[in-house]
């Protein structure tokens, strides 16, 4: 009985959180912090920016390595690489309308990669 109640509670919570994003739109320009060794942003927002400076992207190669790169509007850039299979899989889930958050260490190795894709993120324009 307790499990059923918990499952219903979880379903309601998930439904309400989905509803709270209905119609909302978030723009997130590229943010690079070389002190905390992190960068983030929406790929769509970076693509649509009028400054001509921002970029945010990742790539993978068949050898199992992944790479992520960012530059903010003021020209501060950062990048990292990984051979961690789970991080490479996360990079491969990235698409042009995703939000990306990355942390890296002092050697330039990615320590955290988070990809989120949803209708509330700014989509890439032409």
């Amino acid at each position: 009985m307790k499990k059923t109640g918990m499952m219903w509670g979880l379903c309601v919570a998930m439904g309400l959180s989905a509803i709270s994003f209905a119609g909302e739109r978030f723009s997130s320009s590229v943010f690079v912090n070389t002190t905390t060794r992190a960068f983030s942003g929406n790929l769509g927002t970076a693509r649509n920016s009028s400054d001509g400076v921002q970029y945010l992207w990742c790539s993978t190669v068949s050898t199992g390595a992944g790479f992520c790169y960012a530059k903010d509007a003021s020209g501060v850039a950062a990048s990292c690489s990984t051979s961690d299979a789970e991080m490479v899989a996360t990079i491969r889930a990235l698409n042009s309308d995703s939000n990306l958050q990355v942390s890296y260490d002092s050697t330039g190795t990615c320590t955290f990669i988070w990809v989120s894709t949803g209708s509330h993120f700014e989509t890439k324009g032409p």
Side-chain angles (χ1 to χ4, degrees):
M1 191 67 149
K2 280 188 174 182
K3 286 185 180 179
T4 303
M6 286 182 359
M7 289 302 291
W8 276 108
L10 180 61
C11 289
V12 168
M14 289 172 56
L16 290 175
S17 68
I19 291 169
S20 69
F21 286 120
E24 289 184 327
R25 296 185 184 164
F26 299 108
S27 293
S28 180
S29 297
V30 177
F31 174 78
V32 178
N33 187 326
T34 56
T35 303
T36 62
R37 297 186 190 106
F39 54 89
S40 63
N42 291 354
L43 274 68
T45 304
R47 167 70 175 166
N48 299 337
S49 69
S50 60
D51 58 50
V53 177
Q54 294 182 56
Y55 60 73
L56 186 62
W57 61 285
C58 294
S59 63
T60 61
V61 294
S62 62
T63 59
F67 309 89
C68 289
Y69 307 87
K71 184 187 281 187
D72 66 19
S74 62
V76 178
S79 65
C80 65
S81 62
T82 185
S83 58
D84 178 89
E86 289 183 13
M87 286 192 205
V88 170
T90 300
I91 291 170
R92 290 182 175 149
L94 189 66
N95 72 47
S96 63
D97 299 330
S98 295
N99 177 275
L100 174 68
Q101 296 184 25
V102 178
S103 297
Y104 58 95
D105 65 20
S106 61
T107 66
T109 300
C110 303
T111 57
F112 176 81
I113 300 174
W114 183 75
V115 169
S116 181
T117 305
S119 63
H120 53 289
F121 295 122
E122 182 175 356
T123 58
K124 181 182 75 166

